[in-house]
Structures are given as structure tokens and as C-alpha cells.
Amino acid sequence: MKIRIVYFITLLLLCMSCAVEEQLRYEGFSGNAECWSVRVGMPDDWKIINAHLETNQVLVEFDRGRGAEKQIVQLSFPIKDLNKHIQFRGANRINDLAILHFTVEEDPQSKFNPPMAKSEIINGFRTKKVYAIFRTSKFLMIYFTIENTNPGKLLSFIDLRSMKNSTDSFKLVNGVLHFKFGGKRHKVKLPTNEFIGPHEELRGWSGSSNFNGNILRWSTAIEIVSKQKKD
């Protein structure tokens, strides 16, 4: 009788482990007509093989150590007039967050093809900052967050209200990000110079920001142009 009980419990645990198999998590997306970035939660040891962006979802192909698998992640709202030539270019990885980047046609002769990616987590006394930079031949895509890690000093309602309208409060000047957080102005140096050639410059960008809890997030896609072709 005891042996039967052990077998039954073992079988039950096996079925439960199969039923709760980990799924990808949607974390947000941003972009414009020519480039999009989709944030997906997944363990950092899962290797991304490929991804395909559609109007209302992204299909992710990955390998968790047992061969190629695919999962669909639904977007929060459909992308209008998605360019049919958009393709997956690569990803930033930040612990259990993967930022998947998609753009239209790229210059195959560019030294930034394949693209470059860099991510970093900066822990301060009362804040935690995270940035991820992704460079293709045509675009520079930046993701940035700052989190208030001091539980004894929560942000006030006035701060919260101002951050919800903070889309235009971010400015990137010569690699320095200027913004407001917690009622104070901040500056963060980003290594954008590593991604820009001597005869290139940034021109025009589209971005978005949002505040959730004690975390302020900012995403942007910036066009890269040759200085000779600026005018």
C-alpha cells in the first residue's frame, strides 16, 4: 500500500511540474514606423534564436536547453500599419528581461551589422538605474529605468502626478540623459559615444515614458544620419 502511495505522489508531482511550465511574460513595447522594441520576461539562460513581430503579437523562438521552442506573446494593443519589411535584429538582456529589437532594412555594409548591444545595472544609495543601448546601422535604441529603493521615502502624490506627464521631460544631450525623478533633476551619463561614428550624429527621435509604483521608465528610438547628408 505504501509503495502505491509513493508512486501516486511521484506521478502527481510530475504532472504538476509539466502543468506549470514557465511561460514568456509581456512587459511592454515602444517604437515608430521603422523600428520597435518589445520587452519580454524570460530566464536569462534561455537563448533567443529568432523573433517575428506581428500587428498584435510577437512570436519568440528560443532554446532553454532542450532544442528550439516557440511561444507567442500578445501585445497590449495592436500596432497600426506595421511595416511588412520589419525584421528581428537582436536583443538586450537584463537579468530576466529580454528587449527584442525590430527594424526595417539595414545597411549590410555597415560596421554595426551585426548590431551592437550594451546593458548595465547601477545600484546607488537610494536608487537603482538600468540602461540598455542597441545600435543598428540606422537606429540607436535606448531603454532606461530608475527606481526609488528607499522604502522609508515614498514618492508624494505630486511627484506621481508630474511623472505621469513626463514624456517630454527626458533630454539626451551629448550622451548625458537629463530628467526629473522624485521632484529632483538628475543626470546620467550613457555611453552613446561608443555607438556613434565620428562622421555620424543623432537626429530626431520618438520615445515614451511611464511611471509605475516607484519606477520611472523611458524608451526611445533615434535616427542616425551622416553629417554630410544632414541637410
Side-chain angles (χ1 to χ4, degrees):
M1 182 66 179
K2 291 183 178 180
I3 296 178
R4 290 182 179 178
I5 293 176
V6 171
Y7 281 154
F8 176 75
I9 294 175
T10 303
L11 180 61
L12 180 62
L13 292 175
L14 180 61
C15 293
M16 290 176 61
S17 65
C18 294
V20 297
E21 187 168 280
E22 190 162 6
Q23 300 291 307
L24 303 183
R25 305 184 314 277
Y26 171 74
E27 300 286 349
F29 77 110
S30 62
N32 56 39
E34 296 185 298
C35 57
W36 290 90
S37 297
V38 182
R39 300 188 297 276
V40 175
M42 63 186 302
D44 59 2
D45 59 347
W46 291 15
K47 180 181 178 181
I48 300 172
I49 300 174
N50 202 355
H52 180 69
L53 181 62
E54 299 178 1
T55 301
N56 57 358
Q57 64 186 24
V58 59
L59 175 64
V60 185
E61 185 177 358
F62 59 91
D63 186 352
R64 67 178 94 189
R66 60 192 193 193
E69 302 177 56
K70 295 181 180 180
Q71 285 188 23
I72 291 176
V73 179
Q74 298 291 333
L75 305 181
S76 54
F77 57 87
I79 300 174
K80 295 182 179 179
D81 302 322
L82 181 66
N83 193 306
K84 65 179 181 180
H85 299 294
I86 205 159
Q87 295 184 23
F88 177 62
R89 303 299 176 184
N92 287 96
R93 304 299 296 267
I94 310 171
N95 292 337
D96 63 347
L97 179 68
I99 308 176
L100 311 176
H101 301 287
F102 304 83
T103 74
V104 293
E105 292 91 344
E106 297 286 343
D107 179 7
Q109 304 302 318
S110 171
K111 69 176 182 179
F112 295 100
N113 195 352
M116 289 179 57
K118 185 173 184 176
S119 307
E120 186 177 0
I121 299 175
I122 306 169
N123 289 302
F125 177 62
R126 291 181 175 178
T127 60
K128 173 184 175 182
K129 304 180 185 72
V130 176
Y131 73 79
I133 303 176
F134 191 83
R135 161 76 202 253
T136 69
S137 66
K138 298 178 62 176
F139 300 101
L140 185 70
M141 287 169 271
I142 303 173
Y143 172 75
F144 174 82
T145 71
I146 180 170
E147 176 182 359
N148 183 354
T149 58
N150 181 8
K153 187 180 180 182
L154 298 178
L155 299 175
S156 68
F157 172 74
I158 296 177
D159 293 331
L160 175 63
R161 184 174 55 187
S162 64
M163 287 181 195
K164 284 187 175 180
N165 299 308
S166 60
T167 304
D168 300 325
S169 67
F170 286 88
K171 293 183 179 180
L172 183 63
V173 182
N174 297 325
V176 178
L177 182 62
H178 301 252
F179 62 97
K180 291 182 65 176
F181 178 74
K184 297 181 180 179
R185 295 186 180 276
H186 296 262
K187 296 181 181 179
V188 176
K189 177 68 175 179
L190 300 178
T192 55
N193 61 306
E194 301 176 16
F195 297 81
I196 307 300
H199 301 294
E200 295 179 323
E201 62 182 359
L202 304 177
R203 183 178 70 177
W205 57 55
S206 62
S208 64
S209 65
N210 66 80
F211 182 79
N212 184 14
N214 272 0
I215 303 178
L216 181 63
R217 293 180 175 86
W218 176 70
S219 299
T220 189
I222 310 173
E223 182 184 6
I224 300 171
V225 298
S226 171
K227 290 182 178 179
Q228 293 86 347
K229 298 180 180 179
K230 182 176 63 173
D231 296 322

